[in-house]
Structures are given as structure tokens and as C-alpha cells.
Amino acid sequence: QVQLVESGGGLVQPGGSLRLSCAASGFTFSSSAMSWYRQAPGKERELVAVISSTGGSANYADSVKGRFTISRDNGKNTVYLHMNNLKPEDTAVYYCYTYVLRDYWGQGTQVTVSS
């Protein structure tokens, strides 16, 4: 069965960096686009970044362009979200997502940006 397991969240000061990881299993990872979403308290879940199956293309939400980078290692079945210059408004639960005949979500990892 498809499984997505996120890790790497935590508490970081404004201006700091974090790297999130999502370990995938149960499907052909190298054939699937992967995405990161986030959901802040009281807000709807929003798309942060998406990367193609090969890693050759990526797109970002305007709010994170220039600060976040999505990448993937198809040999390790893992997708990453590198987050730099973090801001308090980046505080949210971050979810890994893919579509394989239906939607699949990870359990989420909390990112808190606060001094």
C-alpha cells in the first residue's frame, strides 16, 4: 500500500532553515509527481511546491518562491523540501502528497517559526 512518511519538522527561529523529508513506498516513486502542502491553524491546506517525476521541473507558491526548494532522490524514494529564510507565517503542518489512482497524504510534520 502507498505510504508517505514525513520527517524533519521542528521549531526554528525566523530567518532559519529546515529540511523536510518524505519517504515514499508502495508505488513506483520514479513515475509519480510529488508535492508538499501545508496547513496553518484556521486556514485551508495550500500547495507549497510540486516536482515532476524526473525532478526536471518544479513549481512553487508565490509565498515561498526564492526561499524554498523541492527536490527528490528517486534512488531513495524520497522527496525533500529545503526551507530557507523561514518566516513566522510559514508556521504550519507540512504534508507530502501524491496521486496514484487516488490522493495519498502523509501524516504531516509540524514546522513552527518563532523567536
Side-chain angles (χ1 to χ4, degrees), residues 69-89:
T69 302
I70 189 171
S71 65
R72 64 190 296 158
D73 185 336
N74 284 351
K76 295 182 178 180
N77 284 9
T78 301
V79 61
Y80 304 97
L81 186 67
H82 308 260
M83 305 185 294
N84 296 320
N85 190 22
L86 283 159
K87 303 176 181 181
E89 52 264 41

Side-chain angles (χ1 to χ4, degrees), residues 32-85:
S32 299
M34 299 295 298
S35 303
W36 285 96
Y37 282 75
R38 68 185 180 185
Q39 187 166 19
K43 296 189 176 181
E44 293 190 355
R45 194 170 295 189
E46 63 172 353
L47 177 65
V48 175
V50 56
I51 189 168
S52 64
S53 59
T54 64
S57 65
N59 286 288
Y60 300 89
D62 287 343
S63 58
V64 307
K65 279 181 183 176
R67 300 188 298 121
F68 290 12
T69 302
I70 189 171
S71 65
R72 64 190 296 158
D73 185 336
N74 284 351
K76 295 182 178 180
N77 284 9
T78 301
V79 61
Y80 304 97
L81 186 67
H82 308 260
M83 305 185 294
N84 296 320
N85 190 22

